Amino acid sequence: MEQYNKTSDIYNNPHINQEPDDDNSSFDIMLWVMKFVRYWYLFVIFIAGALIFTYLQNRKWQPEYKTSAQVMIDEGRAAMMYNSGSQNLMQGFGVQPGYRNVNNQIIMFGSYDLVRKVVKKLPLTVDCYTRGRFKINDLYKIAPVTITQNYISPEAYGMEYTIVDEGGGGYTILWKRNKKEYFVKGKYGVSLRNSLFSLNINRTDIYRPGFKFYFQFKSEDELVDSYSSRLAFDFVMQGASVVSVSLTGSVADRDIDFINTLAETFIEENLAKKNEVANKTIDFIEAQLASISDSISISEGRLKSYRVNNQIVDVESYTSQLLGDSRKVETDNSVFKLKEAYFNYLTNYLRKNIQNEVVAVPTSMGITDPALVKLVTDYNELQIKKKDVGSKNPFYAKYNEDLVVAKASLLEVLRSMRATLDIEKNDLRSKNQEVGKRIAQLPNQESQLSNYQRRFKIHDDYYTFLLQKRAESQIQKASNSADNVILEKARIMSITNGGVKQKTRLLYLIIGILLPFFFVIIKELLNNKIIDKKDIERYSPYPYLGAIRHTNTKDPVPVQKSPRSGLAESYRVIRTRIEFVVQRQFPTSILVTSTESGDGKTAYSMNMAAMYALTGRKTVLIDLDLRKPSIANRLGISVDNKKGISNYLIGQVELDDLIIKNTKYKFDIIPGGSIPPNPGELIRSEKLKDLYNQLCSMYDHVIIDTSPIGLVADAYALMYWVDANMFLVRSEKTNKLFFKSILQQVKSDKTPNLYIVLNDVDEKKASYSSYHEYGRRSYYMKKDEYHTYAKEYFDQAEDEIEVPKNKK
């Protein structure tokens, strides 16, 4: 056996790797696979929980329906009517140009005011529903009773009410307010009033006794905001004027009714706008007819009375021409009167500043002045635009300003046309005076008769003219039809959230997989304990010699009773590798240490001594953990505490008194003895070195159990003497950083012949279990097979551990 040599090349010992191998820190997929497999039960639990949550979540799922209708906006017919109207007296009875644009019509289709009109038409202000364990079911059109509101207090909104049938034609309404419960009882068909609401509740055809459901009051503003935000418009295809109007919601029947009513109201509004100008014209003509009717009656009565009194039936032929001239003058005068009446009507309208009403167009009165026609048409179009946008629209103020400018222009044109009309009236008056002078020359009776006939004829012609215009206006109004047509009534198009269940299932399944996945990753990344060989190779610059499997036996030396067990084979593998690194089977000396107490170095020392003793060679186990000696107690050997190696070093006992030969174990034992006050000085004494040399000469194998090198420095003095220093690392206990720092210190001290042994490895948790493969296989082999496999295994071990050249 070699003796301690201070001049040996320690730092260049080939057993010491200068740096951990880079391959050790590379990603190992099989390592992580084994870690995940180790926690298979977490994946089962989380996936099962995810499936349960998926079931509960999908029970809450309610379908969202997309309901849609198609409306054709026929802008071509309105445009054609307007364009042809410039040559037609009735051009004012078509829709104004501002309405003909399809995009404008779509804006009007979804306007706030139009939606409000629809909300008022439908029974939407009371929302009835039932509550299940997982979801709410709406009772639109299927409620057992109808709730009609007469009055709702502002405080009544936002609260949930419960209505319960009490039988006998009565019911109870319950609600909570300011954490207090209230109720009121009522009878079906009888008005129910209190401070919050006034209701009429009546039974429907699907009434069932004992019902219970919930309801809430919805304000018009809330409903209008809700439907306006959900309305969507889109062209059916590019270039077409067919618009699809759609809603998405959980109550398909309610959305269908809303869309159908919205489309019908939109068409009614369109037709009403087309008839608005015609109605204004007819009203004006009716007013003129009422005025001229009195004049006709008076003229006709005077003519009849004169004829009866003077017995005159016809006017002489010579007065025909004169009467014709006079009639022409009077006809012109009636035209001027009509113009003057229209000017007065228009001036009165502008001066009264009437809002939101259109003006009868001048062409309907026979006035064809282009400037006036254009100004009135533009004015009507501005009024319509202003009426449609509403006061909150940013264009409302602009349209007001444009209307002021249009009024000023109309008044200026009217002043100019009145001046022209005055000139023409003066001229006509002169002509009338001339005709009157000529008539005055006729005989008095004939002149008087002619005068009566002329007046009656003028009034009759004017009345006939107005009747004709009224008939034309009524015909045009009756022939008006809406430009827009409902091509397809609302129906359910699709379920927009049909894939939500599958997505929810997939989401929770992914979560159920990822949670344990990340748990394992985080747990492993935060784990600061040495687990397996990979961790040792990652943090240690020294060679890995082998692993000792975990055992639950209470026997301190189980390898002696079960030499062919897997545990014994793991010790046998390490023993064989030690023989390779020291290049001999015996004699050998081995020191055992660790980072801290509890790493299993004492148990390892005892079983390693037993493993060497099984070969039949002399083996001694020395308890040099002078600070905490425990080998004798753990082996169940009763010894005198004053007879140990510490007592020998201070001269209290002799060597022969130290060595314990117990028949139960095949190896000798030297206990630690009394705990000295100065264990560090005793271990560094020359007497201990002499004792070591003496024991090496007496025994084939010397096993030394020392104090943990991570806590005290006692083992440092001995590490230079022995053939191999076994550094015990306990799986799932030894701290990685502490382990690394200790080995860095040992390396900096140039400690020779250090080897790492992984202790207490649970093969169920370890990522690689090759450390016990030899034991598992050889346990069932025959003798020849055993030696063949052992040779192959040892050849592999020789390749893994580089043998020092200076070892004999």
Side-chain angles (χ1 to χ4, degrees), residues 504-542:
T504 302
R505 188 178 298 110
L506 181 61
L507 174 63
Y508 278 100
L509 186 60
I510 292 174
I511 293 175
I513 295 174
L514 289 182
L515 283 179
F517 180 82
F518 286 117
F519 171 80
V520 173
I521 291 178
I522 293 173
K523 183 177 183 298
E524 292 298 327
L525 293 179
L526 295 179
N527 181 27
N528 61 352
K529 305 297 182 182
I530 297 292
I531 301 296
D532 51 23
K533 176 183 176 182
K534 285 289 183 180
D535 291 333
I536 292 177
E537 292 175 343
R538 185 177 296 114
Y539 293 101
S540 170
Y542 292 96

Side-chain angles (χ1 to χ4, degrees), residues 4 202 469 473 515 544 751:
Y4 167 63
N202 298 288
K469 294 302 180 183
S473 298
L515 283 179
Y544 171 79
T751 302

